[in-house]
Amino acid sequence: MPEVDAAQATRDIADVAAVEVITTAAVHLLSAAAVKVGLADDPDSQTDLDEARKLITALAGLITAAAPDISDMHARSLRDGLRSVQLAFREASPIPDAIGQGPGEKFTGPVN
């Protein structure tokens, strides 16, 4: 049976457009980053700025790399979400990064 499940998953992913895979991955990174910067139900126990930094940087890299290949409609909304978590990170951080040195800013430029 596991061979059947793997074959089905392979067929399923083959039917998914690249833009959908990219945006789905970006939304997962965005959601996880939002939780880690404290924008979720229980910020006292869920905030982890070290983890948030990693997620935001990965998200910024993905969006920056994929933007030319996905429609402006998709890229714009992803960039808006990215900017929101970058700003939330800056607000949550007890020791602010220098302008241009925050998570993902090497890909996006300074966010303020």
Side-chain angles (χ1 to χ4, degrees):
M1 287 290 178
E3 299 85 24
V4 173
D5 292 340
Q8 183 63 41
T10 302
R11 279 195 301 275
D12 291 346
I13 200 72
D15 296 332
V16 180
V19 69
E20 188 174 337
V21 174
I22 293 165
T23 56
T24 299
V27 168
H28 284 292
L29 288 167
L30 180 59
S31 298
V35 169
K36 297 296 184 179
V37 297
L39 300 176
D41 299 336
D42 188 9
D44 292 335
S45 70
Q46 296 171 329
T47 301
D48 185 334
L49 296 180
D50 183 52
E51 291 289 301
R53 180 180 297 277
K54 293 170 190 169
L55 292 162
I56 294 168
T57 299
L59 177 62
L62 175 61
I63 292 170
T64 301
D69 297 318
I70 61 177
S71 71
D72 184 56
M73 175 187 69
H74 289 97
R76 187 180 317 120
S77 60
L78 292 173
R79 282 190 195 107
D80 289 346
L82 169 60
R83 185 173 188 282
S84 294
V85 293
Q86 286 175 309
L87 290 171
F89 182 94
R90 190 169 291 285
E91 289 178 17
S93 182
I95 304 170
D97 293 314
I99 299 296
Q101 300 300 309
E105 290 183 350
K106 66 182 173 185
F107 299 110
T108 64
V111 174
N112 51 19

